[in-house]
Amino acid sequence: MAAASGAILIRVDQSGLGDYTKIQDAIDSVPSNNSELVFIWIKPGTYREKVVVPADKPFITLSGTNAADSTVITWNDGGNAPSQSPTVKILASDFVGRYLTIQNTYGKTGKGVALKVSGDKAAFYGCRILSYQDTLLDDIGRHYYKNCYIEGATDFVFGNAASLYEKCHLHSISKGDGAMTAQKRESPLENTGFVFLGCKLTGSGGAVLGRPWGSYSRVVYAITYMSDVVQPQGWNDWEDPTKQKTAYYGEYKCYGPGSKRDKRVKWSHSLSNEEAAPFLAKTMIGGRGWLRPAPTQFRKNSPIVKMKPNEN
């Protein structure tokens, strides 16, 4: 476990006043099998690069300054396998992303992933994640997203992670046949699924809350505002009726015009207090054991520098 008392500070600044001008160069400077907290502070600007945090470099934070729209990581790639197109790939454990816009501008002609998260124990605060199809590949591991904005049209949150989205905003730009999630849980023995707690769903056209990429797909929306972008049926079976018996799709105390359940598919669930309880805390992701506050002390090599970054 990395020491939590302070973090090594690396500055990225396109003007040349930091340690590096490119984000990837800063990541590359972190030694393999890193065991210390590393805080890579990215000054405002638009960074046109693909970024990878390798599996052997845990405990890295990538952070903008205070608002996600001022620090943008952007690329244009798509049409190939989802694992190849991401603008940003997180393969390492114990990663934190803060106040960043991560986008793929590939557009409407195919799959273009903005962010792929495959490391365990990853957390994102105040980030904007933007694309059209397959925006966020929430691949594997335990993940936490808070106060994030996620935009897309088709399956724009997909994968088989165990993830809690708290106070996040999902915005559909579908023309009418979109799907907000495509969760890939393939066995009842897997403790994976997506939970949206205290979130907001908006957009144009229409979209379902989810469809089953995996037979045992699991998605729960709790205490979430649903605009009329949510289609009345709520969910679909991806043209495979057998998945109606195995997918687990639940709603709990949601509100707004899209939350009405009178026309929902019969195989979705209106959760009781008892049924919803496991999804209303960080239990599924074990978050209390690994989520950490932002560091307030930084050092470059030996001297300690006291700073006060924005709260999560």
Side-chain angles (χ1 to χ4, degrees), residues 27-46:
I27 295 167
D28 291 346
S29 75
V30 177
S32 295
N33 303 313
N34 170 60
S35 61
E36 298 190 75
L37 296 180
V38 176
F39 193 96
I40 299 177
W41 186 14
I42 308 167
K43 294 299 183 69
T46 298

Side-chain angles (χ1 to χ4, degrees), residues 25-87:
D25 289 345
I27 295 167
D28 291 346
S29 75
V30 177
S32 295
N33 303 313
N34 170 60
S35 61
E36 298 190 75
L37 296 180
V38 176
F39 193 96
I40 299 177
W41 186 14
I42 308 167
K43 294 299 183 69
T46 298
Y47 296 80
R48 302 185 187 280
E49 56 178 303
K50 275 196 168 190
V51 171
V52 178
V53 179
D56 65 346
K57 296 189 178 184
F59 303 113
I60 287 177
T61 293
L62 295 181
S63 180
T65 302
N66 50 26
D69 57 3
S70 67
T71 305
V72 179
I73 308 172
T74 184
W75 198 254
N76 181 335
D77 191 7
N80 50 18
S83 63
Q84 300 303 313
S85 65
T87 301

Side-chain angles (χ1 to χ4, degrees), residues 220-222 248-253 261 269-277 279:
V220 169
Y221 292 85
Y248 186 89
Y249 291 151
E251 298 168 58
Y252 175 73
K253 291 189 177 180
R261 286 196 48 84
H269 304 275
S270 179
L271 303 182
S272 66
N273 291 343
E274 184 177 5
E275 290 169 330
F279 304 108

Side-chain angles (χ1 to χ4, degrees), residues 144-149 164-170 196-200 224:
Y144 180 63
Y145 303 81
K146 186 173 183 180
N147 294 324
C148 292
Y149 174 89
L164 174 61
Y165 296 77
E166 188 170 4
K167 298 181 180 178
C168 291
H169 182 177
L170 275 63
F196 298 89
L197 175 61
C199 293
K200 177 168 67 173
T224 287

